[in-house]
Amino acid sequence: MKTITRIWKVNGEEKTVKVPPMRRLLDVLREDLGLKGAKEGCGEGECGTCTVLINGAPMVSCLIPAGQVRDGTEIMTVEGLEKTEGGRLLQEVYADKGSAQCGFCIPGMILSSYALLSRNPNPDEAAIREAHAGNLCRCTGYQKIVEAVQAAARKWPGNK
Amino acid sequence: MTVAENSRKGLVGRGVSRVDASDKVRGLARYADDLDVPGCWHGVIVRSPVSRGTLRSVKLDPACDASKAVVVTAQDIPGPNIVVMHDRAMPLLAFDEIRYIGEPLAVVAAPTRRQAIEVAEHVRIEIDELPAILTTAELVRKFKAGELKTGVEQNAPRGVGGFAGGAPESPDVLCSQSIVKGDVEKGFAEADQIVEAEYTAGHQEQLYIEPQGLVAIPQKDGGILIEGSMQCPYYIQHELHEALNLPAGKLRVRQAAVGGAFGGKEEFPSMLAGYCALPAMKAKKPVKIVYDRHQDILYTTKRHPVWVRHKTGVKKDGTITALKVDFLLDGGAYLTLSDVVMYRGILHAAMGYRCDHVFVNGIVGRTNTFPSGAFRGFGAPQAIWGVESHVDALARACGMTPHEFRLKNCLRVGDTTPTGMVLRDSVGSPAVLEEALKTSRFADKFAKCSRGRKGARKWYGIGLSFFAHGSGFTGDGESKIGTKVALDLGFENASPVVFIRVSSTEMGQGALTVLSQMAADGLGVDLDRVRYPLPDTGLVPNSGPTVASRTTMVVGSTVYSAACKLRQRLEESAGRPIAGSKSFEQIASKYLAEHGPLRVVEAFKLPDTVRWDQATFRGDAYPAFAWGCNVAEVEVDTRTLEIKVKKVTACFDVGRVINPVLVKGQVEGGLTQALGYAVMEKIGIKGGRFDANRMQTYVIPTALDVPEYDITFVEYPYEFAAPGAKGVGEMPMDGLAPAIANAIEAATGIRMTDLPITPEKLFKEVTTKCAKDAK
């Protein structure tokens, strides 16, 4: 099968992948790069568990062919969170607030939180809910997610 | 000793962070699909395309090159072709009569999923199709026509059909059971009026975010290791070892991280484990099956559809004189564990209120659809949907408000339940009702409801529900199962720690954390001295399945008691008390050096005062009841009829709260699932098949759909199992749907009796009402 070569910056590190162009980014991350944090919950862009940040924007990696991701693209997965101050803060408040229950949606959810706060460090509750509406969670009822993002916003780098 | 004195370390009652949070927020938790199994093959299931028929043959097309694959059919099953369940009637792979669309006929496994699919496409099936029953409505029609014969005679208790007793008369009946208290006809004779109504609800999908997934790995000793997503490791062993012709111990089962379950991973993984194990044994390779979302929605168990009919006698002053309930569940094609779902249903169908004359008739009917199964609440939400909708109708019939009627009739200490259980201890009624009414300012708001007022842009309504939920197994289940737990004291990196050995699984509900808290509290040490590895039947005793809101109450209290014993042993050996982690470390290290590892085993015992007669369905139906009250406030857009649930106020008595942060999270999640059941989640049967197969068509609540929650707890600790927790997991699923329906009636003046309540259904009712009003 024809493959293409792509060089991306994944979680701050340069990674070269040789993959069929239509291979899903989710599979490349999980299988070729061993980043099993991103999960498949539906495979059709509805549940948001496979959310990763592409140049800072949350996207569902199950719907993105690897060939569409250009050289030099910055990709952030849940594994990359702890390399950032905001990411570490989010991990801490998610743990404190009991925001992760079964945890399956969390890799996507917490990246949506990171993307929101990076863009808007002072979101109101409606903005928080809107920013996480693409991440389905069946355990929490979302209240503890909202509380975690509010708590993170209070301490977000630059907001202190 | 009081509970407070019992609490050594103050860990019980504290909202500590989850012990599994760190792995989960860093993406390190390993779920079924994340397991690295070298040389693993992939399994694909070949399914029946018809709802009912006789299977003539299942054969691989000879033209297909299957040299790199294995194909297993019923002929390859080494032992009896059954998944044990409750009646030993369901085959692992169909071989004669096919009973539902999607019933597994064969499994193909190959080194890649693509190869397995290619071979599976060449499996040829010959079936003679037979007539089928496809809908709950058809069962109801038969019931009303007297064609669902159960042998239940008015006021005469009888044995259980299906698994426990004589066979039911009608082939469309999987099992039946009645509850009899007093003489319901006498009760009707005493009534001033009789109120009758029917309530229905369809299937509900658990929709855990992690799809089902398991891997079967052949072992050197000829056994099989099953690993992956599940609630009940010992269930898989029990259900399957006969079919695989393995001694129970050689079917070892290990849990991976579980991405939500809600009952959906209670009994179904026993079937999936079989589909993995059969080709694994034949190919002598590990075989993995991870469902995609389409398969997971189409081919796994759902909540039982229900039809419930209430006939109630009331006096003018609001006294209830007779409660008669017909409770019909659609069990799908096989019994599996539907008998116990129905038992929980009938035990909650007339619960909550004082009445001397009660008759509840429970039936599980059979349709040619996917077997219905466990889902949070296990029959109780269906029952409470009926009774709590009906109580509003009773209140109106007596000219009372819904809250006055409930306060007048609700069960209190000293009252008797429908099975004759006298409520003595740990009764959070009427406390939860009073608290929720007060917090929500129900009386004021109820007076201001729109009731379909003309000319309004939006209609406002408030409604409530009040209910109990039996904690732990139904009837004598907890006595039968004999919960065992073990605590192992050993070294970890030269430091003494205590390992909790139980079969209870973490699936998001927080078992790892609350059981660790209880163990640490009993030991008098910090949380970091306790380890709770995910269960593995090779290492842990059977502490029962992780179901029925039983884990914290039953397994947790047994862990707590084992921890107290372990502490005592260490203190006796040292001749001084453990005072915190430091002294534990000294005492335990010395003990381990002198005596080696220490194991304490403990079993759960019900107090002798708990009595249950399964044959007559009389006695203490549960070790204890938890209590709840839900208040829903809704707004209905008069132009679009969109129903917006704005606020939910809820009060629960779950006994002693072990972790206030986790319990609140679990309740918020449960209420959200109940919100979906009430107004969003819709899946029907079309041509024998579920009519939704993806998240676009089966819609669950998002962060934008949930109301404001105001949740409080009143604590009436369970006296017989320190530190006093009762069940909580299922209860938030129980009462929100009727509270919302009651609120919708207060808003619109229309009583909705079928779940989910969608704008389309409401439109139909509004149109009918308008036409009637115009006449």
Side-chain angles (χ1 to χ4, degrees):
Chain A
M1 198 183 293
K2 189 177 162 260
T3 60
I4 52 163
T5 301
R6 284 281 184 271
I7 303 169
W8 301 325
K9 207 166 178 193
V10 181
N11 296 331
E13 287 173 36
E14 198 171 281
K15 296 279 180 192
T16 305
V17 293
K18 281 197 176 85
V19 292
M22 286 308 287
R23 189 167 161 79
R24 305 184 306 173
L25 177 61
L26 175 63
D27 298 329
V28 177
L29 292 171
R30 284 178 57 87
E31 288 161 25
D32 303 4
L33 296 174
L35 297 166
K36 302 234 172 175
K39 309 292 179 207
E40 177 168 344
C42 71
E44 32 189 50
E46 277 290 315
C47 72
T49 56
C50 66
T51 300
V52 298
L53 304 188
I54 294 185
N55 295 328
M59 301 212 178
V60 281
S61 61
C62 73
L63 291 187
I64 300 175
Q68 275 189 2
V69 185
R70 280 186 227 163
D71 282 344
T73 299
E74 283 189 30
I75 300 172
M76 184 169 173
T77 70
V78 66
E79 288 91 347
L81 267 185
E82 56 199 67
K83 295 181 181 174
T84 68
E85 195 185 342
R88 288 191 296 273
L89 171 62
L90 275 166
Q91 288 173 330
E92 189 188 310
V93 293
Y94 262 64
D96 279 355
K97 297 284 175 191
S99 314
Q101 290 190 22
C102 85
F104 199 78
C105 70
I106 293 301
M109 191 73 78
I110 198 166
L111 285 169
S112 289
S113 306
Y114 184 86
L116 168 69
L117 293 175
S118 302
R119 192 174 74 236
N120 172 12
N122 294 298
D124 60 13
E125 185 176 334
I128 295 172
R129 289 187 179 275
E130 183 72 42
H132 295 80
N135 295 90
L136 295 179
C137 168
R138 194 60 155 165
C139 296
T140 63
Y142 306 99
Q143 189 56 38
K144 300 272 177 276
I145 310 278
V146 172
E147 287 170 21
V149 177
Q150 287 168 333
R154 285 193 286 274
K155 298 188 206 164
W156 195 254
N159 269 5
K160 277 177 271 186
Chain B
M1 199 189 321
T2 69
V3 172
E5 278 164 355
N6 236 337
S7 182
R8 297 240 148 196
K9 198 63 195 167
L11 274 167
V12 162
R14 214 197 297 166
V16 300
S17 290
R18 297 177 64 106
V19 297
D20 52 349
S22 169
D23 277 357
K24 287 176 174 175
V25 300
R26 289 187 295 159
L28 298 179
R30 288 288 169 262
Y31 301 83
D33 201 24
D34 304 331
L35 299 174
D36 248 334
V37 183
C40 192
W41 285 25
H42 295 262
V44 168
I45 297 163
V46 179
R47 300 175 184 281
S48 167
V50 304
S51 294
R52 187 161 168 253
T54 306
L55 185 61
R56 290 280 161 236
S57 70
V58 186
K59 273 190 284 207
L60 185 66
D61 183 345
C64 172
D65 172 17
S67 56
K68 290 199 187 77
V70 295
V71 180
V72 293
T73 64
Q75 273 79 33
D76 296 289
I77 296 173
N81 183 4
I82 51 164
V83 187
V84 174
M85 299 289 176
H86 290 178
D87 63 349
R88 307 178 66 89
M90 182 170 70
L92 183 51
L93 295 173
F95 62 99
D96 177 19
E97 184 174 347
I98 288 168
R99 289 187 181 272
Y100 63 93
I101 279 189
E103 187 167 5
L105 310 178
V107 186
V108 178
T112 68
R113 192 153 182 268
R114 182 180 289 262
Q115 286 170 308
I117 290 168
E118 276 168 16
V119 174
E121 280 167 356
H122 289 86
V123 175
R124 303 283 174 250
I125 304 156
E126 285 180 313
I127 301 170
D128 296 336
E129 212 170 332
L130 293 168
I133 297 180
L134 299 180
T135 62
T136 316
E138 176 65 6
L139 286 177
V140 174
R141 189 199 61 73
K142 286 189 166 222
F143 178 79
K144 288 183 173 174
E147 292 167 27
L148 286 191
K149 296 220 175 8
T150 64
V152 175
E153 285 171 22
Q154 182 81 338
N155 289 358
R158 61 180 288 277
V160 184
F163 109 95
E169 283 91 312
S170 162
D172 301 326
V173 174
L174 285 164
C175 65
S176 61
Q177 176 64 50
S178 58
I179 295 174
V180 181
K181 179 187 184 188
D183 177 350
V184 80
E185 290 309 324
K186 186 167 171 270
F188 284 128
E190 289 168 8
D192 291 325
Q193 52 180 324
I194 288 169
V195 184
E196 285 184 85
E198 297 173 15
Y199 307 91
T200 53
H203 288 95
Q204 187 187 18
E205 160 61 28
Q206 293 87 354
L207 216 88
Y208 33 71
I209 307 294
E210 179 211 19
Q212 303 270 357
L214 291 174
V215 56
I217 308 168
Q219 303 293 291
K220 282 191 188 120
D221 65 358
I224 289 278
L225 170 67
I226 302 283
E227 191 166 6
S229 197
M230 65 184 76
Q231 281 176 246
C232 313
Y234 273 100
Y235 268 12
I236 294 179
Q237 192 181 79
H238 175 258
E239 302 302 320
L240 218 53
H241 77 92
E242 290 182 49
L244 300 180
N245 197 25
L246 290 172
K250 285 206 170 179
L251 182 59
R252 182 173 172 179
V253 186
R254 191 155 72 193
Q255 189 211 359
V258 170
F262 314 109
K265 293 170 185 173
E266 176 171 343
E267 79 281 20
F268 178 76
S270 302
M271 297 152 76
L272 188 61
Y275 312 145
C276 294
L278 289 173
M281 288 170 94
K282 190 166 177 179
K284 300 189 170 55
K285 300 278 183 197
V287 173
K288 181 192 249 191
I289 300 179
V290 176
Y291 276 3
D292 65 26
R293 185 57 62 182
H294 295 192
Q295 293 170 313
D296 200 292
I297 297 180
L298 289 175
Y299 304 125
T300 66
T301 54
K302 315 249 172 302
R303 184 185 300 289
H304 292 68
V306 67
W307 170 83
V308 54
R309 181 169 63 189
H310 280 264
K311 180 179 173 188
T312 314
V314 282
K315 285 190 173 169
K316 282 189 189 116
D317 69 356
T319 306
I320 304 171
T321 62
L323 277 163
K324 184 170 186 287
V325 187
D326 291 301
F327 184 78
L328 172 70
L329 293 177
D330 178 348
Y334 290 101
L335 180 72
T336 64
L337 34 70
S338 294
D339 46 350
V340 185
V341 177
M342 180 265 285
Y343 299 161
R344 189 173 277 273
I346 60 175
L347 288 167
H348 289 79
M351 189 54 203
Y353 303 96
R354 268 193 311 277
C355 181
D356 292 333
H357 305 293
V358 180
F359 181 83
V360 187
N361 173 28
I363 303 169
V364 181
R366 168 181 261 170
T367 55
N368 294 103
T369 58
F370 202 97
S372 302
F375 191 163
R376 194 179 206 163
F378 212 68
Q382 293 98 313
I384 291 165
W385 158 237
V387 65
E388 280 304 300
S389 296
H390 196 62
V391 165
D392 265 37
L394 300 180
R396 179 149 8 78
C398 300
M400 293 169 78
T401 61
H403 45 295
E404 284 165 355
F405 186 87
R406 284 177 173 83
L407 283 168
K408 175 180 166 58
N409 287 297
C410 70
L411 291 174
R412 294 163 192 245
V413 171
D415 287 335
T416 310
T417 70
T419 61
M421 173 179 181
V422 181
L423 298 174
R424 296 199 190 286
D425 310 294
S426 183
V427 183
S429 166
V432 291
L433 181 55
E434 289 168 348
E435 175 68 21
L437 290 174
K438 192 178 76 188
T439 320
S440 64
R441 297 189 291 119
F442 188 90
D444 290 350
K445 289 178 176 173
F446 186 73
K448 292 176 190 151
C449 290
S450 305
R451 297 188 174 77
R453 185 164 41 87
K454 293 233 157 49
R457 175 75 182 82
K458 281 191 172 152
W459 285 325
Y460 167 83
I462 189 168
L464 87 153
S465 65
F466 164 75
F467 45 93
H469 191 100
S471 304
F473 276 133
T474 294
D476 51 2
E478 290 299 344
S479 304
K480 271 189 190 158
I481 197 128
T483 292
K484 278 194 199 66
V485 314
L487 293 183
D488 284 333
L489 175 69
F491 279 119
E492 184 193 77
N493 304 326
S495 221
V497 291
V498 173
F499 293 90
I500 299 174
R501 306 288 188 201
V502 295
S503 60
S504 305
T505 51
E506 172 64 55
M507 46 191 166
Q509 86 284 37
L512 291 187
T513 307
V514 294
L515 266 57
S516 296
Q517 279 179 264
M518 289 158 98
D521 198 287
L523 284 158
V525 300
D526 293 318
L527 205 53
D528 66 358
R529 297 291 88 206
V530 175
R531 299 286 176 275
Y532 182 171
L534 295 178
D536 173 340
T537 59
L539 301 173
V540 302
N542 190 351
S543 33
T546 318
V547 304
S549 308
R550 65 185 292 279
T551 302
T552 306
M553 178 175 105
V554 174
V555 185
S557 67
T558 315
V559 163
Y560 182 76
S561 149
C564 293
K565 276 193 182 163
L566 178 54
R567 186 190 73 230
Q568 212 176 340
R569 290 274 291 276
L570 291 173
E571 288 178 345
E572 275 165 16
S573 84
R576 63 189 170 101
I578 290 174
S581 286
K582 260 241 162 71
S583 77
F584 164 80
E585 197 149 319
Q586 291 160 358
I587 291 170
S589 297
K590 187 156 177 285
Y591 184 96
L592 286 166
E594 285 168 11
H595 306 278
L598 172 61
R599 167 169 275 212
V600 172
V601 179
E602 184 76 355
F604 180 77
K605 279 178 228 69
L606 278 174
D608 295 338
T609 50
V610 175
R611 299 267 163 81
W612 175 250
D613 184 342
Q614 181 73 21
T616 59
F617 246 63
R618 303 289 300 161
D620 301 322
Y622 295 96
F625 282 97
W627 298 83
C629 180
N630 292 173
V631 173
E633 293 175 61
V634 305
E635 230 172 54
V636 178
D637 187 303
T638 56
R639 279 179 256 181
T640 62
L641 296 181
E642 184 193 8
I643 301 153
K644 185 82 190 157
V645 180
K646 302 290 282 185
K647 185 170 179 183
V648 171
T649 308
C651 182
F652 296 102
D653 157 33
V654 299
R656 185 89 189 272
V657 168
I658 307 298
N659 185 317
V661 174
L662 266 62
V663 79
K664 219 165 198 182
Q666 197 177 15
V667 165
E668 286 161 356
L671 288 170
T672 303
Q673 224 164 28
L675 171 79
Y677 190 44
V679 295
M680 293 177 76
E681 298 177 24
K682 189 166 167 285
I683 186 165
I685 297 282
K686 211 170 182 181
R689 200 184 285 278
F690 290 119
D691 63 4
N693 68 347
R694 57 212 316 190
M695 285 170 163
Q696 284 98 323
T697 44
Y698 189 82
V699 180
I700 64 166
T702 71
L704 293 170
D705 299 305
V706 294
E708 178 192 345
Y709 289 124
D710 185 353
I711 297 160
T712 49
F713 294 90
V714 291
E715 297 188 43
Y716 288 77
Y718 182 46
E719 303 285 332
F720 299 105
K726 296 190 283 189
V728 60
E730 294 167 293
M731 205 166 49
M733 185 70 227
D734 281 344
L736 189 54
I740 289 173
N742 293 341
I744 289 173
E745 186 184 35
T748 63
I750 292 167
R751 165 60 49 182
M752 299 301 288
T753 58
D754 180 50
L755 294 181
I757 304 168
T758 58
E760 291 86 346
K761 288 183 196 168
L762 193 53
F763 176 72
K764 220 173 128 190
E765 297 303 321
V766 169
T767 316
T768 312
K769 186 168 179 265
C770 287
K772 220 189 270 172
D773 290 350
K775 273 182 193 168

